[in-house]
Amino acid sequence: MILSGELPAGEKLAEIPTAERLGVSRMPIRIAFRTLEQEGLLTKQHRRGYQVRRVTEEEITGSIEVRGVLEGLAALQAAEKGLKDHHRHTLLSCLREGDQLFAKGYVTEEDLEQYHDMNKRFHAIIIEAAANPAINAALSRDEHLPFASVSALAIDRNHLEREYRRFNFAHMQHHAVFDAIDHHQGARAEAIMREHANATLGYAKLFDVNTDNNAFRVIGVDTADGKYSG
């Protein structure tokens, strides 16, 4: 409801009215409020209740830039250490899946859901291949804004032709970063991965207050319980 704009920035929320609105008890609402506060979508009020936080473009941009640095470091270290067989196999499987997805020359919302899942696996494997727990810890702290997380993709339903070009280009970057890592070209892998994060910077503009948010969808949100897939 927050991501869709149904609960706008600045709106005050209390446990009882929200529980009645959603038809649940107060306990899951209390847990959800605390979780959303930790994720940066709600702020605790001095008195009882919470308020929907206004997330600025600058905050999202900063988080994405930090993510690019961290994932770039992961790609560098994965290249230096070399891919294990199971890492290489999974990355190649992701690339083949993406190739098949974009081969037809267009995408649907269902295609982009599939891309979202594949994209998560691809990024997760590179971070795992770096074998650096500090990167994982830093990424966990940075991903408090859902639009800045690799776990959620914002798409424009009204311009799927443009989205095809955007995500197909991102997939070509997947090919390039894999090639660099596989050939132990650490500096090249790091540069590509950092540039790859910049493809996300347009997400913040999609959610400008003057934008028709009904045209946009955030893939990676489980609407059954309101939690992000990441």
Side-chain angles (χ1 to χ4, degrees):
M1 292 165 72
I2 293 171
L3 296 179
S4 70
E6 185 177 348
L7 295 174
E11 180 157 334
K12 295 181 180 179
L13 300 175
E15 286 182 14
I16 294 177
T18 305
E20 292 175 348
R21 183 175 184 176
L22 298 179
V24 297
S25 67
R26 293 178 62 181
M27 182 57 70
I29 296 299
R30 185 175 304 159
I31 294 171
F33 280 177
R34 290 172 181 170
T35 302
L36 290 171
E37 181 187 15
Q38 293 171 354
E39 293 177 347
L41 291 181
L42 292 181
T43 54
K44 183 75 183 253
Q45 299 300 289
H46 294 300
R47 297 181 179 181
R48 290 186 176 182
Y50 290 80
Q51 187 174 39
V52 178
R53 179 184 168 204
R54 184 177 298 280
V55 180
T56 68
E57 183 177 333
E58 288 75 18
E59 287 178 291
I60 297 173
T61 298
S63 291
I64 292 170
E65 289 173 341
V66 170
R67 195 190 83 205
V69 172
L70 293 170
E71 292 193 333
L73 176 60
L76 167 67
Q77 294 185 344
E80 291 175 343
K81 294 174 181 177
L83 292 172
K84 295 181 180 178
D85 288 343
H86 67 281
H87 290 149
R88 192 173 190 277
H89 174 79
T90 303
L91 291 173
L92 285 171
S93 176
C94 288
L95 293 177
R96 287 192 296 268
E97 184 177 345
D99 290 345
Q100 293 173 0
L101 196 66
F102 294 109
K104 61 182 182 294
Y106 65 90
V107 289
T108 64
E109 285 189 49
E110 291 73 22
D111 290 332
L112 293 178
E113 288 179 2
Q114 182 180 344
Y115 175 86
H116 163 265
D117 295 341
M118 178 274 290
N119 185 61
K120 274 187 62 179
R121 291 198 307 275
F122 187 87
H123 284 250
I125 288 298
I126 291 176
I127 294 166
E128 183 180 312
N132 185 339
I135 294 177
N136 268 317
L139 279 170
S140 296
R141 289 192 296 270
D142 184 60
E143 291 194 342
H144 66 289
L145 297 178
F147 306 133
S149 170
V150 73
S151 300
L153 297 180
I155 64 169
D156 184 348
R157 291 165 160 166
N158 290 345
H159 297 91
L160 287 178
E161 289 183 6
R162 184 179 64 192
E163 297 297 71
Y164 169 80
R165 293 192 297 271
R166 181 160 70 99
F167 287 106
N168 187 41
F169 177 74
H171 183 59
M172 292 302 100
Q173 290 179 318
H174 284 171
H175 274 280
V177 76
F178 169 78
D179 181 76
I181 292 173
D182 200 38
H183 287 87
H184 306 284
Q185 298 169 343
R188 176 175 168 236
E190 180 180 22
I192 296 169
M193 205 63 175
R194 292 184 65 166
E195 176 59 29
H196 184 57
N198 288 331
T200 312
L201 290 176
Y203 293 176
K205 297 177 182 178
L206 297 182
F207 293 90
D208 185 85
V209 293
N210 296 317
T211 301
D212 176 13
N213 286 337
N214 290 328
F216 301 104
R217 176 185 172 198
V218 180
I219 297 175
V221 176
D222 183 353
T223 55
D225 60 10
K227 286 188 67 62
Y228 305 107
S229 62

